[in-house]
Amino acid sequence: MHLFQHLRRGHLWLCMGLGLGASALAQTVVEHLPGAEGLALKVWVFHPAQHSPDTQRPVVVALHGCGGMYATVGSRKGQLSARHQGMTNLLLAQGYSVVWPDSLTPRQETSLCEQSMASRQVRQSHRRSDVHTTLAWLGQQAWTDPQRVALLGWSHGGSAVLASSDSRQKLPQPSVTPDIALAFYPGCSDALRRTYQAAWPVHLLLAGADDWTPAAPCVALAQKAGMSFKLYPDSHHGFDNPEGQVKHLPRVPNGQNPGMGVHAGRNPVTGPQAWQDVLEMLKKRWPDPVAH
């Protein structure tokens, strides 16, 4: 049966996303990397169990959104959220290592979602620095295939994908640079104003009904900068979350209609489809997860 059919029926959410803990699929390590301005950047590293420690393999650097990496309630509190753990397990099953830089808790933050843009102390310059710190560290690891590294970000982390891949930002380049970058529903207005230019292939996964980070500026950016994109209809911000349903979040001050809150939540059809699209794009880029 085609993987998408499994996804449509929810089997993959159970088997990879939520039914198995990380330990069933991976070896997990927490690292503290020396970052900019004396920051000890906390990085979670997940390795596929089927590979020996030094076997070179593709690596996905995953970037969390404004709510951070972790579940905040329930039995998973303090662990990766359902969406983050689900995608991690899905990538591990393909033979990829997955690396999650935590941009919030080392800066004494747990969530930015209810902060106005002007008041946020964690900005895209910080996220960009964290990406570069992580890439520099990956260049020193025997298990990193330096030719097969991807960025994958959601929302604020999707914006971090754009901030990190902008060739107009004159920053020292780490020894490892991404081969491809994928961004779920990023905020694109700033990049559109900056005359963004992609330093490597970038693909945007956009929500057609998004009133938090609307799709229209991203479509305009993709067309202007020559990036690929896919627009998922009838989908709100966070549509790929494997749990929950669409909710109104009245306390979020940023969005298409300031002061009126935003909507976010799962679409049981387009969410699995988008995850399948991620797998297919990576598979097309990297046909064999081990041999190079």
Side-chain angles (χ1 to χ4, degrees), residues 174-185:
S175 58
V176 170
T177 56
D179 184 50
I180 187 173
L182 308 171
F184 276 93
Y185 33 83

Side-chain angles (χ1 to χ4, degrees), residues 162-180:
L162 297 178
S164 302
S165 61
D166 190 348
S167 64
R168 295 171 64 88
Q169 297 288 335
K170 304 302 181 184
L171 296 171
Q173 291 300 308
S175 58
V176 170
T177 56
D179 184 50
I180 187 173

Side-chain angles (χ1 to χ4, degrees), residues 143-158:
W143 43 267
T144 301
D145 184 337
Q147 305 302 316
R148 297 189 295 170
V149 174
L151 292 185
L152 172 61
W154 289 261
S155 191
H156 196 267

Side-chain angles (χ1 to χ4, degrees), residues 17 56 63 77 97 115 121 134 147 153 164 193 226 229 261 268 273:
Q56 281 198 339
L63 306 176
K77 185 176 181 179
S97 285
Q115 300 176 9
Q121 299 301 304
T134 303
Q147 305 302 316
S164 302
R193 286 193 295 268
F229 70 93
Q273 180 185 355

Side-chain angles (χ1 to χ4, degrees), residues 257-271:
N257 305 299
M260 299 180 64
V262 300
H263 296 81
R266 172 178 179 257
N267 183 310
V269 174
T270 61

Side-chain angles (χ1 to χ4, degrees), residues 242-254:
E243 291 188 339
Q245 58 189 357
V246 175
K247 295 181 178 180
H248 178 234
L249 306 176
R251 298 178 61 181
V252 174
N254 313 298

Side-chain angles (χ1 to χ4, degrees), residues 10-232:
H11 294 171
L12 200 70
W13 298 127
L14 177 63
C15 296
M16 295 299 180
L18 303 175
L20 295 175
S23 60
L25 293 173
Q27 306 159 3
T28 308
V29 179
V30 177
E31 301 278 356
H32 292 85
L33 313 184
E37 301 176 347
L39 178 79
L41 179 64
K42 187 177 182 180
V43 175
W44 289 66
V45 184
F46 297 84
H47 292 303
Q50 66 264 39
H51 296 330
S52 62
D54 292 338
T55 300
Q56 281 198 339
R57 65 191 74 100
V59 182
V60 176
V61 178
L63 306 176
H64 61 75
C66 65
M69 289 170 46
Y70 311 108
T72 57
V73 296
S75 61
R76 297 190 55 79
K77 185 176 181 179
Q79 303 176 46
L80 291 188
S81 69
R83 176 175 55 198
H84 296 155
Q85 189 66 69
M87 179 60 81
T88 296
N89 289 353
L90 193 61
L91 294 170
L92 290 169
Q94 304 300 308
Y96 310 146
S97 285
V98 186
V99 178
W100 286 92
D102 178 357
S103 291
L104 296 192
T105 59
R107 296 184 171 95
Q108 313 307 311
E109 296 277 8
T110 56
S111 177
L112 311 175
C113 299
E114 295 180 1
Q115 300 176 9
S116 68
M117 293 294 188
S119 68
R120 288 181 176 179
Q121 299 301 304
V122 179
R123 301 183 180 275
Q124 286 302 330
S125 58
H126 298 109
R127 302 298 306 270
R128 182 171 59 240
S129 174
D130 293 349
V131 168
H132 280 249
T133 295
T134 303
L135 291 173
W137 177 77
L138 284 174
Q140 301 170 3
Q141 309 309 307
W143 43 267
T144 301
D145 184 337
Q147 305 302 316
R148 297 189 295 170
V149 174
L151 292 185
L152 172 61
W154 289 261
S155 191
H156 196 267
S159 299
V161 168
L162 297 178
S164 302
S165 61
D166 190 348
S167 64
R168 295 171 64 88
Q169 297 288 335
K170 304 302 181 184
L171 296 171
Q173 291 300 308
S175 58
V176 170
T177 56
D179 184 50
I180 187 173
L182 308 171
F184 276 93
Y185 33 83
C188 294
S189 296
D190 285 347
L192 190 59
R193 286 193 295 268
R194 289 197 310 267
T195 318
Y196 166 92
Q197 294 178 359
W200 47 76
V202 177
H203 179 82
L204 307 180
L205 302 102
L206 308 175
D210 199 329
D211 61 359
W212 194 340
T213 53
C218 293
V219 171
L221 177 66
Q223 293 172 339
K224 186 175 183 179
M227 296 185 292
S228 61
F229 70 93
K230 184 169 181 178
L231 189 64
Y232 296 86

